[in-house]
């Protein structure tokens, strides 16, 4: 391992922005050995550590398709796949460990041998070196559970990736193990002109038929909803009906419903060449190559057909894939000032509101501009602003009229009466209809 490892990760927290008093639902406090800092992202759950700039193209999904959510069934043959790149000219080695959490992402405080069978450690090394340079990188990939490590109970889990030699914690990712117990049916009711900006809202509903072991559902069950796999912005259902003997219904109130107009802008970087529509210039004389995008225009750039499929995007895995410095340009119509600030958030930066992704106004071009290092592939992104000192507003730049097809997940948790931990009985992925 390279001797400069401690220097290389000294900027591990540089990707975040220090904000005070942020909303608990989307602002999560994380720490490493020497720093405490707050990050704002709808994706990050409490105590999750975002990846440093030296780690790129992170993915975590159920094996079979990189569009699958990070959810596997307890006791099944299903596996999770973790993949990432390290920007380096030398191969590294990494240690992966796992923790179990309750439904609100607090540590469940149960012994490790209750939730894990085997050794709580996966060593990943070697890596696959890219065949192109500028910058050099190694690609790493591993699968779990395996014959040395299995999960014994359901619930919320977090994997933690550290540098093997130095022990420096690099990043963490949430995933879920479900029992698939009971039966669940979910749907969405859309209410128009009901949002804060008179946008449509989506009110998710679910009906859960109990498995036989549920004796006191009104005391032992809790229910949550998540929109578009933004796990850090989960919402607990405050409305439920236990009047029927074998089932319950639960939903969010209108006041806490999700926006139905949450939209995304698609980014196609499969080919680093001028396409006349999105990429208007490519400069290979720079290292890495500079890709300049056509300007995004307020309320006019988002794709009218939702193609969102993953929190991580779809970076190419070929050894001939390369990274580019991508310049984003945004025309706000004179709506924002430097004090307000405009930020680029997307699946290539963990939807993180960061000073590294803050746009600066270019008086010569008349656009807000920023650059981001991104691997060849396809991605989605948005523009966002700070919500005062309390979080992120990634809807202020969205089309307030057009309803979009959103993805939702419903979660059913059961407080185990004997061992007092949260079991995850059911997860259902469903979509609002067009």
């Amino acid at each position: 391992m390279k001797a400069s490892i401690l220097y290389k990760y000294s900027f591990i927290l540089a990707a975040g922005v220090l904000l005070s008093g942020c909303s608990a639902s989307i602002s999560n406090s994380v720490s490493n050995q020497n720093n405490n800092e707050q990050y704002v992202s709808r994706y990050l759950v409490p105590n999750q550590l975002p990846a440093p700039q030296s780690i790129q193209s992170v993915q975590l999904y159920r094996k079979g398709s990189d569009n699958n959510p990070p959810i596997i069934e307890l006791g099944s043959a299903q596996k999770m796949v973790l993949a990432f790149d390290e920007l380096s000219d030398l191969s590294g080695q990494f240690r992966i460990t796992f923790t179990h959490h309750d439904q609100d992402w607090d540590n469940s405080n149960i012994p490790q041998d209750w939730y894990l069978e085997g050794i709580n450690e996966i060593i990943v090394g070697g890596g696959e070196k890219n065949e192109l340079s500028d910058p050099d990188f190694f690609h790493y990939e591993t699968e779990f559970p395996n014959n040395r490590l299995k999960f014994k109970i359901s619930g919320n889990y977090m994997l933690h990736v550290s540098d093997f030699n130095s022990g420096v914690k690099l990043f963490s990712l949430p995933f879920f193990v479900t029992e698939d117990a009971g039966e669940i049916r979910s749907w969405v009711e859309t209410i128009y002109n009901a949002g804060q900006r008179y946008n449509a809202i989506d009110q998710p509903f679910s009906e859960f038929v109990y498995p036989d072991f549920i004796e006191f559902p009104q005391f032992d069950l809790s229910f949550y909803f998540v929109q578009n796999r933004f796990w850090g912005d989960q919402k607990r259902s405050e409305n439920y009906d236990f009047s029927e003997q074998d089932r319950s219904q639960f939903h969010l109130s209108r006041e806490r419903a999700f926006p139905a107009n949450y939209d995304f802008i698609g980014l196609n970087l499969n080919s680093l060449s001028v396409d006349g529509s999105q990429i208007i210039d490519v400069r290979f004389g720079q290292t890495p190559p500079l890709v300049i995008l056509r300007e995004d225009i307020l309320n006019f750039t988002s794709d009218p057909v939702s193609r969102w499929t993953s929190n991580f995007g779809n970076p190419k895995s070929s050894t001939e894939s390369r990274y580019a410095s991508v310049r984003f340009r945004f025309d706000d119509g004179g709506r924002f000032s430097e004090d307000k600030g405009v930020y680029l958030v997307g699946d290539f930066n963990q939807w993180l509101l960061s000073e590294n992704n803050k746009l600066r106004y270019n008086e010569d071009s008349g656009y807000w501009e920023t650059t981001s290092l991104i691997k060849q592939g396809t991605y989605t992104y948005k523009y966002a602003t700070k919500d005062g000192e309390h979080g992120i507003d990634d809807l202020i730049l969205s089309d307030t009229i057009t309803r979009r097809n959103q993805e939702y997940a419903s979660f059913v948790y059961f407080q185990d009466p004997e061992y007092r931990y949260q079991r995850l009985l059911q997860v259902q992925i469903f979509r609002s209809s067009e």
Side-chain angles (χ1 to χ4, degrees):
M1 192 67 182
K2 36 201 163 300
S4 61
I5 184 70
L6 291 177
Y7 171 78
K8 185 178 71 172
Y9 294 120
S10 64
F11 56 88
I12 185 173
L13 294 180
V17 55
L18 181 61
L19 296 173
S20 60
C22 297
S23 169
S25 64
I26 58 175
S27 176
N28 306 298
S29 181
V30 298
S31 64
N32 73 351
Q33 293 174 338
N34 302 311
N35 298 280
N36 288 303
E37 212 168 302
Q38 287 184 320
Y39 299 90
V40 181
S41 169
R42 292 190 185 277
Y43 171 75
L44 299 180
V45 303
N47 302 309
Q48 181 183 350
L49 184 66
Q53 293 179 336
S54 59
I55 301 294
Q56 297 284 335
S57 302
V58 177
Q59 290 185 294
L60 180 66
Y61 56 90
R62 185 178 67 248
K63 187 177 180 180
S65 170
D66 53 11
N67 292 330
N68 284 336
I71 303 168
I72 58 174
E73 184 180 336
L74 184 67
S76 71
Q78 296 173 347
K79 292 182 179 296
M80 300 287 289
V81 177
L82 169 68
F84 61 91
D85 293 344
E86 183 190 28
L87 303 182
S88 173
D89 57 358
L90 294 175
S91 174
Q93 195 170 29
F94 305 90
R95 180 174 182 259
I96 303 171
T97 58
F98 301 88
T99 51
H100 187 270
H101 300 260
D102 67 15
Q103 74 274 49
D104 295 318
W105 294 101
D106 291 325
N107 286 322
S108 53
N109 294 321
I110 58 176
Q112 178 181 298
D113 59 4
W114 283 19
Y115 64 87
L116 277 182
E117 177 183 328
I119 301 174
N120 188 6
E121 181 181 77
I122 296 177
I123 304 299
V124 179
E128 187 176 29
K129 192 179 189 306
N130 70 313
E131 296 180 2
L132 301 175
S133 59
D134 305 329
D136 289 316
F137 69 89
F138 282 80
H139 178 75
Y140 300 88
E141 194 166 310
T142 189
E143 297 179 3
F144 62 91
N146 51 44
N147 56 6
R148 298 186 60 194
L149 181 149
K150 293 182 173 61
F151 303 112
K152 298 170 67 174
I153 63 175
S154 63
N156 292 5
Y157 282 82
M158 191 102 70
L159 67 82
H160 309 270
V161 179
S162 304
D163 176 72
F164 183 79
N165 287 349
S166 68
V168 171
K169 295 179 180 179
L170 301 179
F171 65 96
S172 52
L173 294 171
F175 66 97
F176 306 89
V177 178
T178 176
E179 296 182 22
D180 193 26
E183 299 178 7
I184 192 168
R185 181 175 68 93
S186 302
W187 65 97
V188 173
E189 294 183 6
T190 301
I191 307 166
Y192 291 90
N193 302 317
Q196 292 183 352
R197 299 185 177 102
Y198 302 102
N199 58 292
I201 59 174
D202 277 348
Q203 195 173 6
F205 290 77
S206 291
E207 181 180 71
F208 179 61
V209 180
Y210 311 137
D212 294 338
F213 56 79
I214 301 294
E215 297 185 36
F216 306 104
Q218 63 270 37
F219 301 110
D220 295 332
L221 294 180
S222 58
F223 312 100
Y224 289 76
F225 292 103
V226 171
Q227 183 187 49
N228 295 328
R229 306 187 196 180
F230 290 125
W231 314 120
D233 198 20
Q234 67 179 13
K235 296 185 179 182
R236 182 169 182 166
S237 172
E238 73 278 53
N239 296 285
Y240 34 80
D241 181 1
F242 295 105
S243 59
E244 295 191 52
Q245 184 176 2
D246 65 338
R247 68 194 63 200
S248 64
Q249 289 192 357
F250 56 97
H251 66 276
L252 294 181
S253 65
R254 289 192 179 188
E255 293 73 22
R256 300 181 65 242
F258 293 101
N261 65 318
Y262 201 99
D263 55 11
F264 302 91
I265 305 173
L267 174 61
N268 188 340
L269 282 182
N270 281 317
S271 175
L272 301 184
S273 59
V274 175
D275 59 17
S277 58
Q278 189 171 41
I279 300 177
I280 62 171
D281 193 12
V282 180
R283 300 175 184 175
F284 287 102
Q286 301 187 24
T287 303
L290 175 64
V291 173
I292 301 177
L293 302 182
R294 185 175 299 279
E295 68 274 11
D296 293 315
I297 302 175
L298 179 64
N299 290 343
F300 285 97
T301 307
S302 299
D303 196 327
V305 179
S306 174
R307 291 184 173 86
W308 180 91
T309 54
S310 169
N311 282 116
F312 302 106
N314 299 103
K316 284 189 170 184
S317 58
S318 166
T319 57
E320 295 183 352
S321 302
R322 65 191 309 172
Y323 281 86
S325 180
V326 181
R327 179 177 296 171
F328 295 81
R329 305 185 302 161
F330 177 60
D331 182 356
D332 71 335
R335 184 171 177 179
F336 299 102
S337 65
E338 193 73 34
D339 292 338
K340 181 69 174 178
V342 181
Y343 297 81
L344 173 72
V345 294
D347 44 23
F348 42 78
N349 64 17
Q350 294 188 279
W351 303 94
L352 194 69
L353 194 75
S354 165
E355 288 299 313
N356 291 330
N357 302 315
K358 186 175 182 180
L359 282 78
R360 311 294 177 183
Y361 187 72
N362 186 331
E363 293 185 356
D364 293 333
S365 68
Y367 301 127
W368 294 87
E369 298 181 354
T370 191
T371 58
S372 185
L373 186 67
I374 306 175
K375 192 179 185 181
Q376 284 183 270
T378 57
Y379 305 88
T380 53
Y381 65 96
K382 289 178 67 68
Y383 295 101
T385 65
K386 289 182 181 179
D387 184 12
E389 293 298 325
H390 302 287
I392 180 173
D393 187 345
D394 49 8
L395 288 170
I396 193 170
L397 307 179
S398 294
D399 177 2
T400 60
I401 300 174
T402 308
R403 178 195 176 198
R404 311 286 173 169
N405 188 0
Q406 310 290 329
E407 182 187 279
Y408 293 95
S410 56
F411 293 79
V412 179
Y413 293 92
F414 171 61
Q415 172 81 5
D416 188 281
E418 183 176 0
Y419 297 105
R420 311 301 296 175
Y421 70 90
Q422 293 289 337
R423 295 164 58 177
L424 180 53
L425 301 186
Q426 274 286 357
V427 181
Q428 184 176 33
I429 305 294
F430 59 105
R431 298 189 71 91
S432 58
S433 59
E434 294 286 4

